[in-house]
Amino acid sequence: MDVLDRAERYLLHHGRLIDRLRFQALFRGGPREPALHALHAYQNTDGGFGHALEPDLRGTGSQPEPVEVALWILDELDAFDSPMVTAACDYLASVATPDGGVPWVLPSVREAPRAPWWQTDDDPPGALVPTAPIAGLLHKHGVAHPWLAGATAFCWSRLADLKEPGTYEAMAALTFLTYVPDRERALAEFDRLRDVLLGTVTYDLDAPGHVHHPLDFAPRPSPLPLFPQDILDTHLDALLAAQSPDGGWGPNWTMWTPLVEHEWGGYLTVQSLQTLHAYGRLGDLS
């Protein structure tokens, strides 16, 4: 049984409907519409996303971070023509801070079960996570929305002051710098920040805990000079080897309630397959 067959078996046993439909659209030649319908079920009337699209946020209400999750799914399905995008941007504009960004999480998170790290002050500031990857993906697909100009200015300002980013901030910054249209400025900023951003990467394949390896920063070949090919090859070999006996890839962070292990497992399994495919490790899928 090959990598895809084993992954499909895992998803059939454990995956959410949306992740099973993503797999079918991306790897079995299925239509994208069922996956889009499934994604739309997570979108609220305010345009934001909730309902545990981000599995560690169990509430029904909208939060900024699930918008990023939704946009990555729309990106993989090449579906940025969906009305979900404009509605999501309208939501982001409604929760934006005066400097143009959106907070990592809103105080309404307290109203529902969530992982213990989802905490916030009463008046949270804008944050690179998730403003930068959201802005980057919108730029990638040429989306025009009033919120985006202010969000882009916010990202440039935050990058100018970035000194000791966390891992998620580094990955967010890289997504923004990969897709923002001002390529001369983006490349200059990347050159300035490269060592700081890549200083958050874990290269040790045996490192325990919630660490992030090169393929988390470059899940597909990047136009930015991130990692030499030998490092990518080593970690691609390791990613293939990490497929579990039941066919999935699992999270390396704390599972605070049993359900989220397989909800994350399904999402990460499709994500891992996409990375392997992007680097030519799954062969010809036609």
Side-chain angles (χ1 to χ4, degrees), residues 50-88:
H51 309 279
L53 180 61
E54 204 283 7
D56 289 329
L57 293 170
R58 306 305 300 175
T60 61
S62 298
Q63 288 287 341
E65 180 56 34
V67 174
E68 181 191 348
V69 177
L71 293 185
W72 281 115
I73 293 173
L74 291 167
D75 175 66
E76 74 190 18
L77 296 171
D78 193 21
F80 262 67
D81 56 347
S82 168
M84 285 187 277
V85 175
T86 298

Side-chain angles (χ1 to χ4, degrees), residues 18 34 50 83 85 95 100 133 143 170 194 196 217 254 263:
I18 189 169
V85 175
V95 299
V143 174
R194 185 180 189 277
V196 170
F217 291 76
T254 301
E263 290 195 347

Side-chain angles (χ1 to χ4, degrees), residues 17-51:
L17 176 62
I18 189 169
D19 297 320
R20 298 198 303 271
L21 293 173
R22 291 168 64 214
F23 176 87
Q24 291 297 321
L26 293 168
F27 299 107
R28 296 303 196 204
R32 69 179 187 173
E33 285 73 21
L36 293 174
H37 288 313
L39 179 61
H40 188 256
Y42 291 92
Q43 190 168 37
N44 291 313
T45 55
D46 62 6
F49 289 81
H51 309 279

